[in-house]
Amino acid sequence: MKLTFLGTGTSTGVPLLGCRCSVCTSSAPHDKRTRPSLMLEYSGRTVVIDTTPDFRAQALREKIERVDAIVFTHAHADHVLGLDDVRPFFFRQRTPIPIYADTRCMQSLRRIFAYIFEQTYAYGGILKIDPHLIDGPFDLWEQRMIPITVLHGNLPVLGFRFNNTAYVTDFSTIPEETLPLLEGLDVLILDALRHKPHPTHSTVENSLRLVEQLKPARAYFTHIAHELHHEETNAGLPPNVQLAYDGLKIELN
Ligand SMILES: [Zn+2]
Ligand SMILES: [Zn+2]
């Protein structure tokens, strides 16, 4: 399985519009971050976790040729607003794109993308999806996906564990009883917005504590705001922990 970080930025993306700070004006490629999403490629299939408002640019950058399934963490704008841009893959593949979301997220998707769910537009050209509700572990082409409920402020959102890897973006708290699901990992990907506390996001310090506690072989941080310089921040992290960056690829056995 190959993982690709399609985006590693917080909800606004980095640079932040209008900002002249040193990260937003940095010329280092790793200081540019599109909205957060992860792509999984295995068995000739392509699965994306979330479709961000940057999905089209991410797909062009990574030369994505197909999307076989979309798995959603939650329905905030930075994670879902690119759904319509998977249309060309539906046209090419000629089969409705399976999407996976929990009940709350599916309800929001149904409201935001009513025209897709209702299929009322009579002139063709509309995306067709095949919605699946997540209510426990599910399989995508022999790969077990284990949903992990975490708290994004008060909102329960999903992370996913698959192939000894876990992707947990957008959380401020991981409930105690959930922590065992994140033990024994090769790769742990965590939200780490910035250093300063935030009501709905984890910080570098909080995520480092989780890494110490959960002891994955490697950890990557994502959903990164403009407060964090890529290189400077990485220089201060332990060797098995790094800020991810757009386009970063990881091969898993
Ligand atoms: Zn987010
Ligand atoms: Zn800035």
Side-chain angles (χ1 to χ4, degrees):
M1 179 185 283
K2 183 165 87 175
L3 303 183
T4 303
F5 285 87
L6 293 180
T8 57
T10 188
S11 57
T12 54
V14 179
L16 177 63
L17 294 180
C19 184
R20 303 299 299 161
C21 81
S22 63
V23 173
C24 289
T25 57
S26 163
S27 58
H30 295 172
D31 284 330
K32 305 208 184 306
R33 304 172 181 126
T34 59
R35 267 58 73 86
S37 173
L38 190 71
M39 173 168 70
L40 288 53
E41 293 171 283
Y42 60 98
S43 311
R45 303 287 179 173
T46 300
V47 175
V48 294
I49 302 184
D50 296 330
T51 52
T52 85
D54 296 314
F55 175 77
R56 184 172 180 277
Q58 295 166 341
L60 287 169
R61 189 191 72 218
E62 297 300 333
K63 302 185 170 57
I64 297 177
E65 291 182 359
R66 55 183 303 118
V67 169
D68 295 288
I70 303 165
V71 179
F72 286 103
T73 59
H74 64 302
H76 282 168
D78 53 329
H79 297 260
V80 304
L81 286 189
L83 176 59
D84 197 71
D85 280 338
V86 305
R87 269 188 321 141
F89 298 115
F90 163 62
F91 300 152
R92 284 164 60 89
Q93 295 163 209
R94 296 161 187 267
T95 159
I97 310 270
I99 70 167
Y100 292 78
D102 68 11
T103 307
R104 184 191 319 261
C105 179
M106 197 69 86
Q107 275 169 357
S108 298
L109 290 170
R110 201 174 278 280
R111 204 169 51 238
I112 299 167
F113 295 103
Y115 65 99
I116 294 177
F117 281 80
E118 289 161 11
Q119 294 288 317
T120 43
Y121 184 69
Y123 307 99
I126 202 166
L127 172 65
K128 283 200 168 71
I129 53 170
D130 175 19
H132 298 261
L133 276 183
I134 298 174
D135 55 5
F138 56 101
D139 290 325
L140 288 178
W141 300 285
E142 265 108 73
Q143 177 60 59
R144 180 127 280 225
M145 305 289 288
I146 301 170
I148 294 170
T149 302
V150 294
L151 289 171
H152 182 28
N154 298 325
L155 178 73
V157 309
L158 295 182
F160 296 96
R161 177 174 178 147
F162 47 89
N163 196 0
N164 256 2
T165 294
Y167 181 67
V168 189
T169 182
D170 294 71
F171 72 93
S172 39
T173 315
I174 300 185
E176 200 66 39
E177 63 274 18
T178 305
L179 288 170
L181 289 172
L182 296 171
E183 285 169 0
L185 291 166
D186 293 329
V187 177
L188 174 58
I189 303 163
L190 292 175
D191 178 356
L193 186 75
R194 61 187 190 194
H195 294 294
K196 209 172 101 197
H198 187 280
T200 63
H201 285 280
S202 186
T203 57
V204 170
E205 288 64 29
N206 185 57
S207 288
L208 276 175
R209 269 195 300 279
L210 283 166
V211 170
E212 263 170 50
Q213 186 181 353
L214 297 166
K215 299 188 180 15
R218 286 182 283 168
Y220 295 91
F221 291 168
T222 189
H223 213 294
I224 305 161
H226 70 144
E227 284 93 337
L228 300 182
H229 258 284
H230 183 79
E231 259 188 55
E232 272 177 42
T233 309
N234 271 349
L237 293 174
N240 65 331
V241 183
Q242 296 282 282
L243 295 189
Y245 56 84
D246 286 29
L248 172 63
K249 292 173 179 61
I250 304 172
E251 295 279 352
L252 303 170
N253 300 327

